[in-house]
Amino acid sequence: MSDATFFQRKHQLWLRIAFASFATTNLQIKNRLYEFSVIEFRHLKWVAETLVESNVPYDYERDKELSIESETLFGLLTILIKEIEEMQSLYDHSQLSQRLLHDEHYILQTLQETLADDSIDEKLTAFNRSRQWGDTSLSSQELDALTLFLFEESYKEYELIMIYFYSQMSASTPLQYGSFQDLIDESHFHLRSFGEMMAKMGILSLPRMLHPRTYKITDMEKFLYDGITEEENAKEECRRLSALITDKKLSTFFEFINFQESYHIEIMKKLLKEIHG
């Protein structure tokens, strides 16, 4: 279990379950799947800590053909079941392995029980490229701006989760560890929000893979300064979209995200202050 290949499989499983939760419109299944994705991300953290302790390098490589697209909910759940079943043989007899294994036994049982009820299945619209926002008539300019924003920001939030995650594993102070955890949690919320919006528009897709240069930070001070600039740019984009889009609920949501980005800047300023002594 203690190698980078296992980490890669866990990383992919977390992504699959999280994006499956974004894809379905069944609220009960959506929330359950997202809870399972939270468990899988916690697993990923424990595995990374084990690798770091053993001085085993790991990265964010993924299968090039990795996809979450399916025409039906049951088709999506079947993919998840197959992936989890394939992982069962990779666990050893360590305490960590046994914890991960038993968690996934329960996840597997829940998914299989869901498949037993044909009335739950649904035709998925998360991947149909409809680019519609419910019953709201957004202009073509609004739709284009929203589409571009969602693709860029969903990638950015995934990128930030993985960068903060990697930095947290090498954190040298309690402030660093706690701050990166706060930023990870915030980015999880943003990724879920943007992912569900993409699903509503029929444009849901996995974010592209990260290059190691993106997350293997060698100059933390520069990274934080660049992060503040990136957050400022994100705030500006939220303000621009809020002003452009006539749908009141959407505008209010982007204002909400804008204020959250403001506090991310404050967290990074605290980290810079610690660096500067």
Side-chain angles (χ1 to χ4, degrees):
M1 191 200 82
S2 57
D3 62 21
T5 302
F6 182 83
F7 181 90
Q8 177 183 333
R9 295 291 300 274
K10 268 289 184 182
H11 177 196
Q12 294 180 173
L13 182 57
W14 161 64
L15 267 180
R16 279 193 191 278
I17 296 177
F19 275 73
S21 78
F22 305 156
T24 180
T25 61
N26 183 309
L27 288 179
Q28 183 177 357
I29 295 175
K30 176 187 290 293
N31 292 331
R32 201 60 169 148
L33 285 173
Y34 192 75
E35 288 169 357
F36 290 156
S37 80
V38 171
I39 291 172
E40 288 294 343
F41 193 81
R42 192 177 303 124
H43 287 184
L44 199 63
K45 180 180 176 182
W46 292 338
V47 172
E49 287 173 344
T50 301
L51 294 175
V52 170
E53 288 170 5
S54 304
N55 292 315
V56 176
Y58 65 93
D59 56 40
Y60 296 149
E61 286 290 315
R62 294 177 356 212
D63 293 341
K64 289 181 173 58
E65 285 76 34
L66 187 69
S67 171
I68 41 92
E69 293 196 20
S70 179
E71 293 184 359
T72 65
L73 172 61
F74 276 20
L76 200 54
L77 297 184
T78 300
I79 292 171
L80 298 182
I81 288 171
K82 182 174 182 291
E83 181 112 1
I84 295 170
E85 286 177 338
E86 288 176 353
M87 292 203 66
Q88 304 296 289
S89 63
L90 301 179
Y91 294 108
D92 55 32
H93 297 293
S94 67
Q95 286 296 317
L96 176 57
S97 271
Q98 293 306 301
R99 166 61 195 268
L100 309 190
L101 184 63
H102 282 86
D103 281 357
E104 287 179 357
H105 276 162
Y106 178 72
I107 293 172
L108 201 55
Q109 180 182 349
T110 303
L111 297 181
Q112 288 168 338
E113 287 174 355
T114 302
L115 288 184
D117 184 353
D118 290 339
S119 68
I120 297 175
D121 198 11
E122 63 172 325
K123 183 176 173 62
L124 296 178
T125 59
F127 313 107
N128 68 5
R129 311 295 190 269
S130 66
R131 289 212 321 138
Q132 298 295 315
W133 185 254
D135 297 327
T136 306
S137 298
L138 296 180
S139 70
S140 130
Q141 181 186 17
E142 289 174 307
L143 284 171
D144 287 345
L146 182 56
T147 299
L148 181 61
F149 175 86
L150 290 175
F151 271 109
E152 289 182 344
E153 291 302 304
S154 63
Y155 171 73
K156 188 200 91 169
E157 297 301 341
Y158 165 68
E159 177 186 56
L160 289 176
I161 288 169
M162 303 316 292
I163 290 173
Y164 296 143
F165 178 95
Y166 204 88
S167 297
Q168 188 184 45
M169 292 302 100
S170 58
S172 56
T173 70
L175 178 64
Q176 286 181 11
Y177 192 91
S179 296
F180 288 133
Q181 186 61 57
D182 286 340
L183 291 166
I184 289 168
D185 292 342
E186 293 276 279
S187 288
H188 272 301
F189 172 75
H190 290 184
L191 179 63
R192 183 182 189 182
S193 299
F194 297 144
E196 290 185 351
M197 292 171 75
M198 292 176 81
K200 187 173 179 178
M201 293 183 71
I203 57 173
L204 184 64
S205 63
L206 290 173
R208 63 186 180 274
M209 192 161 53
L210 301 178
H211 191 282
R213 284 196 303 268
T214 307
Y215 53 87
K216 294 185 177 181
I217 309 301
T218 56
D219 186 338
M220 182 56 66
E221 183 176 6
K222 181 179 183 302
F223 166 71
L224 292 171
Y225 276 121
D226 289 347
I228 290 171
T229 301
E230 187 172 355
E231 294 288 3
E232 291 286 5
N233 292 338
K235 280 170 57 61
E236 184 56 39
E237 188 60 23
C238 282
R239 284 192 291 265
R240 190 184 73 79
L241 257 180
S242 180
L244 173 67
I245 291 180
T246 53
D247 183 271
K248 181 62 178 173
K249 286 185 178 179
L250 275 176
S251 294
T252 301
F253 171 75
F254 291 126
E255 290 169 7
F256 164 64
I257 295 295
N258 176 28
F259 281 107
Q260 289 199 334
E261 304 285 12
S262 296
Y263 195 68
H264 297 173
I265 292 172
E266 294 306 309
I267 292 174
M268 285 186 275
K269 284 180 177 177
K270 284 183 183 179
L271 289 171
L272 278 171
K273 186 177 179 181
E274 182 182 56
I275 289 173
H276 293 154

